[in-house]
């Protein structure tokens, strides 16, 4: 899986090196070349640094997608408990995976701070139930199976390593619950 991801990320990085369609192919004059050199310093990132930066962007994007699932509904709407179970399950699957940012609380706070006021209010209303459901899934996946089946969740939580997930959930809760526990 990591090898495939590495190839994909390399392809994305190399795609950025392709010439822009319709770009002027005339040679640069000495004056424009000198201006270009002073305007844009040379990039000295190693391939490892570039890959790390790209991987960090992927991790942030995946976190954004998962957290957006927590505001895609209103908790007190029809089917709210099933939608909460789906959001919680997605969060647990994400946190049990390899793409969690190193600064999960900081990335979570940045995501929340970037929301519009209405979406922040939705998250504030939805988060306590999402958090509780996610914790319940981690503590006893078999006990949550009925709810997860009703919600259409097919992930096999019994086969996942969920050991570090509750700690990550607590770190996110510190940010999203605004100090409430």
């Amino acid at each position: 899986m990591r090898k495939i991801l590495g190839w994909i990320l390399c392809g994305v990085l190399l795609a950025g090196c392709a010439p822009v369609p319709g770009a002027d192919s005339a040679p640069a004059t000495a004056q424009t070349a000198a201006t270009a050199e002073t305007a844009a310093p040379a990039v000295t990132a190693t391939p490892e640094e570039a890959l790390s930066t790209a991987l960090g962007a992927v991790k942030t994007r995946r976190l954004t997608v998962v957290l957006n699932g927590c505001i895609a509904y209103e908790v007190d709407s029809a089917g709210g408990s099933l939608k909460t179970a789906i959001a919680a399950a997605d969060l647990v699957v994400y946190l049990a995976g390899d793409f969690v940012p190193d600064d999960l609380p900081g990335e979570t706070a940045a995501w929340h701070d970037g929301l519009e006021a209405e979406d922040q209010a939705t998250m504030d209303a939805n988060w306590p139930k999402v958090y509780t459901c996610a914790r319940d899934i981690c503590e006893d996946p078999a006990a949550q199976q009925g709810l997860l089946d009703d919600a259409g969740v097919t992930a096999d939580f019994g086969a996942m390593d969920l050991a570090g997930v509750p700690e990550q959930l607590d770190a996110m809760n510190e940010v999203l619950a605004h100090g409430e526990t």
Side-chain angles (χ1 to χ4, degrees):
M1 177 70 168
R2 288 184 183 187
K3 190 172 187 177
I4 292 171
L5 179 62
W7 284 107
I8 291 171
L9 290 174
C10 287
V12 169
L13 291 172
L14 290 175
C17 297
V20 177
D24 186 8
S25 61
T29 65
Q31 183 181 8
T32 58
T35 303
E37 286 179 20
T38 59
V43 178
T44 59
T46 65
E48 293 81 13
E49 291 170 334
L51 184 59
S52 177
T53 299
L55 186 56
V58 168
K59 289 178 179 183
T60 298
R61 179 68 184 138
R62 290 271 301 129
L63 177 63
T64 298
V65 169
V66 170
L67 289 174
N68 283 347
C70 296
I71 60 170
Y73 67 97
E74 293 182 13
V75 74
D76 295 326
S77 64
S81 62
L82 297 177
K83 293 172 188 173
T84 297
I86 293 168
D90 287 346
L91 183 59
V92 170
V93 168
Y94 169 73
L95 293 173
D98 293 334
F99 294 104
V100 179
D102 294 332
D103 182 16
L104 181 62
E107 295 282 341
T108 301
W111 171 84
H112 188 267
D113 293 345
L115 294 175
E116 294 181 14
E118 184 178 323
D119 288 337
Q120 283 185 357
T122 300
M123 186 61 171
D124 293 347
N126 292 356
W127 176 251
K129 291 184 179 180
V130 171
Y131 171 71
T132 300
C133 186
R135 291 285 308 202
D136 291 346
I137 291 169
C138 291
E139 289 173 13
D140 190 359
Q144 303 305 312
Q145 197 59 53
L147 173 64
L148 296 171
D149 288 343
D150 290 346
V153 174
T154 59
D156 183 4
F157 294 102
M160 290 181 196
D161 179 9
L162 302 176
V165 175
E167 182 179 307
Q168 293 169 318
L169 284 167
D170 291 345
M172 293 177 76
N173 190 53
E174 286 293 317
V175 172
L176 297 172
H178 309 291
E180 301 170 18
T181 53

